[in-house]
Amino acid sequence: MGVLHGMQWDRRQVTDPLACPECDGSGGDRVGPMFLACRFCAGRGWVGGAFEPAEGGAVPPERRPAWEDKIWNDPDIAAAFKCRLCLDSKQVSHVDDVARTLVTLPCLCVAPPRGPDRTA
């Protein structure tokens, strides 16, 4: 085994960049004046390296609740709304990723939750 000159070891790569198997390296399809990017390679025309679709992609960023946003440190914004959860709309919506539905419920400022340890 000899010394390998010119090899870069600064980052891990699964494969070398290859022409996208879905769009054959074109990056997508042209329909009239619109260009529709390939969904497999995201319009690059190649896959591999840091853009390897088989690797599963990046981890989505963690979602923080809206009432914990730093905008509430502004006294004018904090005084404008009575409720940080619903922004005075009296309803709270939530996207259920598992069921792929939008769930809307009354806010806690309208109907406090009832349970064994709460009296209402």
Side-chain angles (χ1 to χ4, degrees):
M1 187 103 169
V3 178
L4 298 174
H5 296 286
M7 293 294 294
Q8 294 181 356
W9 299 96
D10 57 346
R11 65 179 183 168
R12 293 182 0 211
Q13 289 190 354
V14 177
T15 61
D16 293 331
L18 303 169
C20 176
E22 295 293 318
C23 66
D24 294 325
S26 67
D29 294 319
R30 185 161 299 282
V31 179
M34 292 189 311
F35 180 76
L36 302 175
C38 174
R39 294 179 69 190
F40 192 74
C41 67
R44 283 187 284 291
W46 56 272
V47 294
F51 301 104
E52 181 64 42
E55 291 298 313
V59 176
E62 181 182 340
R63 292 188 222 165
R64 297 185 64 209
W67 59 87
E68 291 180 3
D69 194 279
K70 63 182 178 180
I71 193 70
W72 295 108
N73 295 333
D74 183 357
D76 294 330
I77 297 294
F81 299 103
K82 295 176 188 171
C83 181
R84 290 185 182 187
L85 296 176
C86 67
L87 304 177
D88 298 338
S89 69
K90 310 295 185 221
Q91 293 182 341
V92 178
S93 297
H94 168 73
V95 176
D96 187 350
D97 292 329
V98 176
R100 299 187 64 150
T101 58
L102 179 67
V103 180
T104 303
L105 298 169
C107 183
L108 295 175
C109 67
V110 176
R114 294 179 187 211
D117 59 344
R118 301 181 191 241
T119 58

